[in-house]
Amino acid sequence: EVQLVESGGGLVQPGGSLRLSCAASGFTFSGYWMSWVRQAPGKGLERVANIRKDGSEKYYVDSVKGRFTISRDNAENSLFLQMNSLRAEDTAVYYCARLDWNAFDIWGQGTKVTVSS
Amino acid sequence: QTVVTQEPSFSVSPGGTVTLTCGLSSGSVSTSYYPSWYQQTPGQAPRTLIYTTDTRSYGVPDRFSGSILGKKAALTITGAQADDESDYYCALYMGSGTWVFGGGTKLTVL
């Protein structure tokens, strides 16, 4: 079964850091671009970052540039999002998603991040 | 900055047909934007319905169809059912590794 399972979310103070992980199974992880998509409470979806199959290209939404870093470990079938200098507006459910045919075709169940003092 | 536009809400009767659209604040949507559509119910992860304009994702019923209508991408639901009541999001590929989602359409079936 193709599956993505996120972990690492939680409550963090403004200015703090969190590292999200996404464990992939059921497909050849190294053969796909991957992405993080977030959804703030009561709001729509927002693509946060995506990474090429081999990790050589990374793209970010403007609001997280310089604060978030996407990475992957193809040997461990894992995707990561290092989030630094967190702000209240980063509060959201963060989804790991597989990219195929220029679309987000497989989604995880999400991990919740709350930035609050 | 380009904004992807969707109707905030829509209503359809059971068994009816509804077309949701996905446009651009400036310009027209074409197949070059690789429009995709996602369904989301409260508390759940999104589910992929359509990719590359009109290709149904695995397991998606054929009453869901995608197209380009005029200057917008469109998602048509034919024979709406109660469990189609969800939020629907489109996404457009803007190039340079960038995707933008629309604000979503809340579909009510009543």
Side-chain angles (χ1 to χ4, degrees), chain A:
Chain A
E1 178 190 5
V2 175
Q3 195 172 11
L4 297 170
V5 179
E6 301 94 336
S7 60
L11 174 64
V12 61
Q13 292 188 339
S17 298
L18 272 180
R19 188 188 195 218
L20 306 184
S21 299
C22 171
S25 60
F27 66 98
T28 305
F29 180 71
S30 60
Y32 293 88
W33 284 67
M34 296 295 296
S35 184
W36 288 97
V37 176
R38 68 183 177 184
Q39 186 170 35
K43 302 297 184 182
L45 301 170
E46 179 181 46
R47 194 268 321 186
V48 174
N50 42 284
I51 185 169
R52 188 186 172 89
K53 302 173 189 180
D54 61 1
S56 62
E57 293 181 46
K58 304 174 184 181
Y59 299 93
Y60 301 91
V61 68
D62 285 348
S63 59
V64 308
K65 284 179 181 176
R67 301 189 298 122
F68 290 12
T69 302
I70 189 171
S71 62
R72 65 191 297 162
D73 184 340
N74 286 344
E76 295 293 328
N77 295 327
S78 295
L79 178 72
F80 306 101
L81 186 67
Q82 177 67 43
M83 304 187 296
N84 299 330
S85 303
L86 282 161
R87 306 167 180 167
E89 53 265 36
D90 296 319
T91 294
V93 175
Y94 284 73
Y95 295 102
C96 168
R98 189 178 81 172
L99 282 162
D100 196 18
W101 291 101
N102 280 313
F104 306 89
D105 72 329
I106 302 295
W107 298 73
Q109 282 304 301
T111 187
K112 186 176 181 180
V113 172
T114 302
V115 183
S116 174
S117 54

Side-chain angles (χ1 to χ4, degrees), chain B residues 4-12 16-23 29 35-40 49-50 53 63-78 80 84-91 103-109:
Chain B
V4 177
T5 62
Q6 295 185 248
E7 300 86 358
S9 63
F10 229 116
S11 182
V12 63
T17 296
V18 62
T19 296
L20 312 181
T21 67
C22 176
V29 177
S36 52
W37 292 89
Y38 307 87
Q39 178 190 49
Q40 187 182 35
L49 295 176
I50 301 286
T53 306
R63 53 200 183 78
F64 291 91
S65 62
S67 64
I68 298 291
L69 286 180
K71 298 182 178 181
K72 298 182 178 182
L75 173 71
T76 300
I77 307 173
T78 305
D84 294 335
E85 187 161 294
S86 302
D87 294 325
Y88 291 85
Y89 294 92
C90 69
T105 298
K106 184 177 182 63
L107 180 67
T108 301
V109 181

